[in-house]
Amino acid sequence: MRIGYSCWGFLGSGVTDTPDGGRSHRRTLVDGLIAAGHEIVLLQANRDLVEAGTDLTGTYRWDDGLPEIDALFLEWRWSIPGRNTTACGTDGHTCDLHRQQELLDHYTHRHAVRTVLWDKDLKLPVDDPLRAVGHVQVCEPALHPSPGAVSLLFPVADDALDQAHPGALAAHGRLLPLVYVGNQYDRDAAFDEFFAPAAAQLPHRVAGKWNGTTRWPQVNFTGRIPFDEVAPLYRSAVATVLLAPERYARSGQFTQRLFESVLAGCLPLAPHTLRAAELVVPRELIVTGAAGVVATVTELARIAGSQAHVDLIARCIDHLDPFRLTRQLRTLTAALAGTAIPPLLIEGARA
């Protein structure tokens, strides 16, 4: 198929001052679709070139018009007042929302083109009329998606999983017991319960965009870092905590922070409030409160470099199998073609 792909983000490393978590998996998905024989036309602005100065036009195709396509795939954008709801050309305006509406009007509504809407941030209202359109399929990166939606998880390249070496990852010198990489967005409650009190007792670092940090004077906030520095930071740390907004926790949505950390050998601690956490991390990494974080990190630091550490990293890698690219491609291909969606083959995911 010729697939029109709408995303407001980067395929490469992009720029530092952006919340684009899709850099960890977007290119993996696009390359996987191309390798499967599909043609991809990127329908939003070429931010790699315009903002980051990275020219990928020899490998990928962008089109700011309305080319002929067989299916439309949207990484869903939502209203952000003062940014994409302002008039075109005004200071600070981004045109992602206007462009998305243009694509919906032309392809989905006017020409009834098969449309797959990937609600990566769980921002689509449950009563949005798009959910009732027969040729629209909503996907969510959650183990327990909303009614009518199907699971399309953030993909990890098969080679990245198959070639990960637990022994080499365990051998890294890890001087930092605890780290968090990511932005604040709706995570205050989880941060208060699981991270901030633990940070008062453990050497740590928080990298990302956090506002109003004076309420956590014990926390070492160091601001946003370039995307290429994420993996090295994880490689320097023993463990991280999977902090999530309540809507993610409720639906069993695990962001790219899970596999970014695991593939760097940084062990992910999952708050017990995250639905289906036992499906994506070993049970001994599920924590109850900040005291559990401190106790678990202390034990992990004690076994660092040992065979027990190697085995635990190996089990974390095994738990990433649900995110494997080949699994996600089967789901997405069926959604784009309008055929039966294969079941989510993760034992217990539908319990």
Side-chain angles (χ1 to χ4, degrees), residues 198-243:
Q201 301 180 56
L202 297 167
H204 65 279
R205 178 181 172 188
V206 175
K209 183 179 179 181
W210 288 72
N211 300 316
T213 57
T214 54
R215 62 181 283 192
W216 299 296
Q218 76 276 33
V219 177
N220 178 29
F221 294 99
T222 59
R224 276 180 167 158
I225 59 175
F227 180 70
D228 292 339
E229 293 181 13
V230 170
L233 179 54
Y234 278 130
R235 284 196 292 270
S236 74
V238 173
T240 187
V241 182
L242 302 177
L243 303 176

Coordinates of all heavy atoms in Angstrom, one line a residue, residues 198-243:
A198 N 12.2 9.0 47.5 CA 13.4 8.1 47.3 C 14.6 8.9 46.9 O 15.8 8.6 47.3 CB 13.1 7.1 46.2
A199 N 14.4 10.0 46.1 CA 15.5 10.9 45.7 C 16.2 11.5 46.9 O 17.4 11.8 46.9 CB 15.0 11.9 44.8
A200 N 15.5 11.7 48.0 CA 16.1 12.3 49.2 C 17.1 11.3 49.9 O 17.9 11.7 50.7 CB 15.0 12.6 50.2
Q201 N 17.0 10.0 49.5 CA 17.9 9.0 50.1 C 18.9 8.4 49.2 O 19.8 7.7 49.6 CB 17.0 7.9 50.7 CG 16.0 8.3 51.7 CD 15.2 7.2 52.2 OE1 15.7 6.2 52.7 NE2 13.8 7.3 52.1
L202 N 18.8 8.7 47.9 CA 19.7 8.0 46.9 C 20.3 9.1 45.9 O 19.6 10.0 45.5 CB 18.9 7.0 46.0 CG 18.2 5.8 46.7 CD1 17.2 5.1 45.8 CD2 19.3 4.8 47.2
P203 N 21.5 8.9 45.6 CA 22.1 9.7 44.5 C 21.3 9.5 43.2 O 20.9 8.4 42.9 CB 23.5 9.2 44.4 CG 23.9 8.6 45.7 CD 22.6 8.0 46.2
H204 N 21.0 10.6 42.5 CA 20.0 10.4 41.4 C 20.2 11.6 40.4 O 20.9 12.6 40.7 CB 18.6 10.4 41.9 CG 18.2 11.7 42.6 ND1 18.6 12.1 43.8 CD2 17.6 12.8 42.1 CE1 18.2 13.3 44.1 NE2 17.6 13.8 43.0
R205 N 19.4 11.5 39.4 CA 19.3 12.7 38.4 C 18.0 12.6 37.7 O 17.5 11.5 37.4 CB 20.5 12.6 37.4 CG 20.4 13.7 36.3 CD 21.6 13.5 35.4 NE 21.4 14.5 34.2 CZ 22.2 14.5 33.2 NH1 23.2 13.6 33.0 NH2 22.0 15.4 32.2
V206 N 17.4 13.7 37.5 CA 16.2 13.8 36.6 C 16.5 14.7 35.4 O 16.8 15.9 35.6 CB 15.0 14.4 37.5 CG1 13.8 14.6 36.5 CG2 14.6 13.5 38.6
A207 N 16.4 14.1 34.2 CA 16.6 14.8 33.0 C 15.3 15.0 32.2 O 14.6 14.0 32.0 CB 17.6 14.1 32.1
G208 N 14.9 16.2 31.9 CA 13.7 16.4 31.2 C 13.1 17.8 31.6 O 13.7 18.6 32.4
K209 N 12.0 18.1 31.0 CA 11.4 19.4 31.2 C 10.4 19.3 32.4 O 9.4 18.7 32.3 CB 10.6 19.9 30.0 CG 10.0 21.3 30.2 CD 9.3 21.7 28.9 CE 8.6 23.1 29.1 NZ 7.9 23.6 27.9
W210 N 10.8 20.0 33.5 CA 10.0 20.0 34.7 C 9.8 21.4 35.2 O 10.8 22.1 35.3 CB 10.6 19.1 35.9 CG 10.5 17.7 35.6 CD1 11.2 16.9 34.6 CD2 9.6 16.7 36.2 NE1 10.8 15.6 34.6 CE2 9.8 15.5 35.6 CE3 8.7 16.8 37.2 CZ2 9.1 14.3 36.0 CZ3 8.0 15.7 37.6 CH2 8.2 14.5 37.0
N211 N 8.6 21.9 35.4 CA 8.4 23.2 35.9 C 8.0 23.2 37.4 O 7.6 22.2 37.9 CB 7.2 23.8 35.1 CG 7.5 23.9 33.6 OD1 8.6 24.2 33.2 ND2 6.5 23.5 32.8
G212 N 8.2 24.4 38.0 CA 7.9 24.5 39.4 C 8.6 23.5 40.3 O 8.0 22.9 41.2
T213 N 9.9 23.3 40.1 CA 10.6 22.3 40.8 C 11.0 22.7 42.2 O 11.5 21.9 43.0 CB 11.9 22.0 40.0 OG1 12.7 23.2 39.8 CG2 11.6 21.4 38.7
T214 N 10.7 23.9 42.6 CA 11.0 24.3 44.0 C 10.3 23.5 45.0 O 10.7 23.5 46.2 CB 10.7 25.8 44.2 OG1 9.4 26.1 43.8 CG2 11.7 26.7 43.3
R215 N 9.2 22.9 44.6 CA 8.4 22.1 45.6 C 9.2 20.8 45.9 O 8.8 20.0 46.9 CB 7.0 21.7 45.1 CG 7.0 20.9 43.8 CD 5.6 20.7 43.3 NE 5.0 19.6 44.0 CZ 3.8 19.0 43.6 NH1 3.2 19.5 42.5 NH2 3.2 18.1 44.3
W216 N 10.2 20.4 45.1 CA 11.0 19.2 45.4 C 12.5 19.6 45.5 O 13.3 19.3 44.7 CB 10.9 18.3 44.2 CG 9.5 17.8 44.0 CD1 8.7 17.0 44.8 CD2 8.7 18.0 42.8 NE1 7.5 16.7 44.3 CE2 7.4 17.3 43.1 CE3 8.8 18.6 41.6 CZ2 6.4 17.3 42.1 CZ3 7.8 18.6 40.7 CH2 6.6 18.0 40.9
P217 N 12.8 20.3 46.6 CA 14.2 20.8 46.8 C 15.3 19.7 46.9 O 16.4 19.9 46.6 CB 14.2 21.6 48.1 CG 13.0 21.1 48.8 CD 12.0 20.7 47.8
Q218 N 14.8 18.5 47.2 CA 15.8 17.4 47.4 C 16.1 16.7 46.0 O 16.9 15.8 46.0 CB 15.2 16.3 48.3 CG 14.1 15.4 47.7 CD 12.7 16.0 47.8 OE1 12.5 17.3 47.7 NE2 11.7 15.2 48.0
V219 N 15.4 17.1 44.9 CA 15.6 16.4 43.7 C 16.6 17.2 42.8 O 16.5 18.4 42.7 CB 14.2 16.3 42.9 CG1 14.4 15.6 41.6 CG2 13.3 15.4 43.8
N220 N 17.5 16.4 42.1 CA 18.5 17.0 41.2 C 17.9 17.0 39.8 O 18.1 16.1 39.0 CB 19.8 16.1 41.3 CG 20.8 16.6 40.3 OD1 20.9 17.8 40.0 ND2 21.7 15.7 39.8
F221 N 17.3 18.1 39.5 CA 16.8 18.4 38.1 C 17.9 19.0 37.2 O 18.5 20.0 37.6 CB 15.6 19.3 38.1 CG 14.4 18.7 38.8 CD1 14.1 19.1 40.1 CD2 13.5 17.9 38.2 CE1 12.9 18.6 40.8 CE2 12.4 17.4 38.8 CZ 12.1 17.7 40.1
T222 N 18.1 18.4 36.1 CA 19.2 18.9 35.2 C 18.7 19.3 33.9 O 19.5 19.7 33.0 CB 20.3 17.8 35.1 OG1 19.8 16.6 34.5 CG2 20.9 17.5 36.4
G223 N 17.4 19.4 33.6 CA 16.9 19.9 32.4 C 16.9 18.9 31.2 O 17.4 17.8 31.4
R224 N 16.4 19.4 30.1 CA 16.3 18.5 28.9 C 17.7 18.2 28.4 O 18.7 19.0 28.6 CB 15.6 19.2 27.8 CG 14.0 19.0 27.9 CD 13.3 19.7 26.8 NE 11.9 19.2 26.7 CZ 10.9 19.9 26.1 NH1 11.2 21.1 25.6 NH2 9.7 19.4 26.1
I225 N 17.9 17.0 27.8 CA 19.1 16.6 27.3 C 18.9 16.2 25.8 O 17.8 15.8 25.4 CB 19.8 15.4 28.0 CG1 18.8 14.2 28.1 CG2 20.2 15.8 29.4 CD1 19.4 13.0 28.7
P226 N 19.9 16.3 25.0 CA 19.8 15.8 23.6 C 19.4 14.3 23.5 O 19.8 13.5 24.4 CB 21.1 16.0 23.0 CG 21.8 17.1 23.8 CD 21.2 16.8 25.2
F227 N 18.6 13.9 22.5 CA 18.2 12.6 22.4 C 19.3 11.6 22.4 O 19.2 10.5 23.0 CB 17.3 12.4 21.1 CG 16.8 11.0 20.9 CD1 15.8 10.5 21.7 CD2 17.3 10.2 19.9 CE1 15.3 9.2 21.5 CE2 16.8 8.9 19.7 CZ 15.8 8.4 20.5
D228 N 20.4 11.9 21.8 CA 21.6 11.0 21.7 C 22.3 10.8 23.1 O 23.1 9.9 23.2 CB 22.6 11.5 20.7 CG 22.1 11.5 19.3 OD1 21.2 10.7 19.0 OD2 22.7 12.2 18.4
E229 N 21.9 11.6 24.1 CA 22.5 11.4 25.4 C 21.6 10.6 26.3 O 22.0 10.3 27.5 CB 22.7 12.8 26.1 CG 23.8 13.6 25.4 CD 24.0 15.0 26.1 OE1 23.5 15.1 27.2 OE2 24.7 15.8 25.4
V230 N 20.4 10.2 25.8 CA 19.5 9.4 26.7 C 20.1 8.0 27.0 O 20.1 7.6 28.2 CB 18.1 9.2 26.0 CG1 17.2 8.2 26.7 CG2 17.4 10.6 25.9
A231 N 20.5 7.3 26.0 CA 21.0 5.9 26.2 C 22.3 6.0 27.1 O 22.4 5.2 28.1 CB 21.3 5.2 24.9
P232 N 23.3 6.9 26.9 CA 24.4 6.9 27.8 C 24.0 7.2 29.3 O 24.6 6.7 30.2 CB 25.3 8.0 27.2 CG 24.9 8.1 25.8 CD 23.5 7.7 25.7
L233 N 23.0 8.1 29.5 CA 22.6 8.4 30.8 C 22.0 7.1 31.5 O 22.3 6.8 32.6 CB 21.5 9.5 30.8 CG 21.0 9.9 32.2 CD1 22.1 10.2 33.2 CD2 20.1 11.1 32.1
Y234 N 21.2 6.4 30.7 CA 20.6 5.1 31.3 C 21.8 4.1 31.6 O 21.7 3.4 32.6 CB 19.7 4.5 30.3 CG 18.3 5.0 30.4 CD1 17.6 5.4 29.2 CD2 17.6 5.1 31.6 CE1 16.3 5.9 29.2 CE2 16.2 5.6 31.6 CZ 15.6 6.0 30.4 OH 14.4 6.5 30.5
R235 N 22.8 4.1 30.7 CA 23.9 3.2 30.9 C 24.7 3.5 32.2 O 25.5 2.7 32.7 CB 24.8 3.1 29.7 CG 24.2 2.3 28.6 CD 25.3 2.0 27.5 NE 25.8 3.2 26.8 CZ 25.2 3.6 25.7 NH1 24.2 3.0 25.2 NH2 25.7 4.7 25.1
S236 N 24.6 4.7 32.7 CA 25.3 5.1 33.9 C 24.5 4.8 35.2 O 25.1 5.0 36.3 CB 25.6 6.6 33.8 OG 24.4 7.4 34.1
A237 N 23.3 4.4 35.0 CA 22.4 4.2 36.2 C 22.0 2.8 36.5 O 21.8 2.0 35.5 CB 21.2 5.1 36.1
V238 N 21.8 2.5 37.7 CA 21.3 1.1 38.1 C 19.8 0.9 37.8 O 19.5 -0.1 37.2 CB 21.5 0.9 39.6 CG1 20.9 -0.4 40.1 CG2 23.0 0.9 40.0
A239 N 19.0 1.9 38.0 CA 17.6 1.8 37.9 C 16.9 3.1 37.6 O 17.4 4.2 37.8 CB 17.0 1.2 39.2
T240 N 15.7 2.9 37.1 CA 14.8 4.1 36.8 C 13.4 3.7 37.4 O 13.2 2.5 37.7 CB 14.7 4.4 35.3 OG1 13.9 5.6 35.2 CG2 14.0 3.3 34.5
V241 N 12.5 4.6 37.4 CA 11.1 4.4 37.8 C 10.2 4.8 36.7 O 10.4 5.8 36.1 CB 10.7 5.2 39.1 CG1 9.3 4.8 39.5 CG2 11.7 4.9 40.2
L242 N 9.3 3.9 36.3 CA 8.3 4.1 35.2 C 7.2 5.0 35.7 O 6.1 4.5 36.2 CB 7.8 2.8 34.7 CG 8.8 1.8 34.2 CD1 8.2 0.5 33.7 CD2 9.7 2.4 33.0
L243 N 7.4 6.3 35.7 CA 6.4 7.3 36.1 C 5.4 7.5 35.0 O 5.7 7.7 33.9 CB 7.0 8.6 36.5 CG 8.1 8.5 37.6 CD1 8.7 9.9 37.8 CD2 7.5 8.0 38.9

